[in-house]
Amino acid sequence: MIVAVDIGNSNVVLGCHDGEDWAHFWRLQTVTTQDAAVYYDIEIRNLILESRLDLSQITGVILSAVVPQIRELMAEILTAAFEQPVVVVGPELYNTLNYKVPRPYEIGTDLVANAYSAYRRQSRACVVVDFGTALTFTTLDDTGYVAGVAIAPGIKTAMKALSSNTAQLPEIPLELPDSVLGLHTTHAIQAGILWGYVGIVKELLEKIRSEVDHHIPAIATGGLSFVMSEIEGLFVEIDPQLTLDGLRFMLEDL
């Protein structure tokens, strides 16, 4: 059984793959405060106990982290909790796998995992759209390597930025309104941000395809990919576990 861990700016996602499927899937809040070590140690050990996970079945652990200040800390906690050395995704791993990554110290390891996973599925040039804290578009060429990335603020990030600078804004549900003519504050923000993101995704995919190949497929992933029903038809696949699968493939290919 392989354990894959993806540390994002908002959430830490952990999965245990039994060789056929993700038998266990957990999501924790990303914490970077002084008590992060205690928080993660307790939470992860509790998850192991609650799921009755047999540690003797764990064959490997791999970690992707875009939050540098807790990368090493989490590697130590995972090593102790799962009783396995942890493979940390980064330039050294790319070299070992002979996987070419442009500016490997700059690109997010989660985006590389997305690319690695997407090429396994498509075996051709494609685009991965990740709806996370950031909205990212990772384009692969026909060899499976990253051709380039476009990054925009994520949906929740945009909403948070708006509410933090505006007094008395209500909590906004992530629901796409039928009309962009907002009749009250909540409706107006939903219209502007959510319909605006529909436009961002459509326009960027069109622009990417005009530069690369008008027929390349697109795959959606990320915790918020399911809220954009208006653009489901743009993707050949929507898979929230795409990143974890990429991490698993990397570990299996070592």
Side-chain angles (χ1 to χ4, degrees), residues 5-242:
V5 183
D6 177 32
I7 300 178
N9 289 295
S10 300
N11 297 107
V12 175
V13 179
L14 305 91
C16 297
H17 198 278
D18 61 9
E20 295 185 4
D21 202 357
W22 292 101
H24 303 284
F25 183 78
W26 305 301
R27 186 181 297 270
L28 301 174
Q29 181 182 358
T30 298
V31 174
T32 58
T33 54
Q34 290 184 343
D35 60 349
V38 174
Y39 166 76
Y40 285 122
D41 187 56
I42 292 174
E43 289 294 325
I44 291 173
R45 291 184 184 278
N46 283 342
L47 292 173
I48 292 172
L49 288 172
E50 290 170 3
S51 63
R52 298 181 180 179
L53 192 63
D54 182 358
L55 295 181
S56 67
Q57 295 183 351
I58 304 299
T59 57
V61 183
I62 185 167
L63 168 67
S64 164
V66 297
V67 185
Q69 58 265 47
I70 60 172
R71 183 187 296 120
E72 185 175 339
L73 166 68
M74 184 62 83
E76 294 175 356
I77 291 172
L78 293 171
T79 298
F82 290 102
E83 300 176 0
Q84 286 281 339
V86 176
V87 174
V88 179
V89 179
E92 291 185 5
L93 180 61
Y94 309 151
N95 290 335
T96 301
L97 293 170
N98 195 28
Y99 187 69
K100 298 177 183 178
V101 176
R103 297 186 179 274
Y105 290 95
E106 295 181 23
I107 188 171
T109 53
D110 56 338
L111 302 188
V112 178
N114 284 344
Y116 206 87
S117 183
Y119 192 71
R120 279 290 189 90
R121 296 158 186 254
Q122 295 295 320
S123 299
R124 57 166 297 184
C126 61
V127 184
V128 179
V129 183
D130 193 332
F131 294 82
T133 304
L135 174 65
T136 61
F137 298 74
T138 305
T139 303
L140 285 64
D141 62 22
D142 280 322
T143 63
Y145 300 137
V146 177
V149 178
I151 302 176
I155 298 173
K156 284 189 175 181
T157 303
M159 284 189 170
K160 184 177 180 180
L162 184 63
S163 63
S164 65
N165 290 288
T166 308
Q168 297 183 330
L169 274 185
E171 185 74 21
I172 308 298
L174 291 174
E175 299 172 358
L176 194 69
D178 293 330
S179 172
V180 294
L181 305 178
L183 300 177
H184 49 77
T185 302
T186 296
H187 185 181
I189 294 173
Q190 288 173 325
I193 292 181
L194 295 181
W195 276 110
Y197 270 83
V198 169
I200 289 174
V201 173
K202 287 183 175 180
E203 181 65 24
L204 275 173
L205 282 178
E206 182 177 340
K207 178 63 175 173
I208 290 168
R209 285 168 172 153
S210 72
E211 293 187 24
V212 182
D213 176 351
H214 286 286
H215 302 290
I216 62 172
I219 299 174
T221 190
L224 294 175
S225 59
F226 64 90
V227 305
M228 305 297 281
S229 58
E230 182 67 21
I231 55 176
E232 284 180 354
L234 298 177
F235 304 104
V236 296
E237 187 177 358
I238 299 176
D239 184 2
Q241 276 78 53
L242 186 75

Side-chain angles (χ1 to χ4, degrees), residues 2 17 19 97 120 245 247-254:
I2 287 176
H17 198 278
L97 293 170
R120 279 290 189 90
D245 272 333
L247 298 177
R248 174 172 64 91
F249 293 146
M250 287 180 177
L251 193 57
E252 289 175 348
D253 289 345
L254 284 178

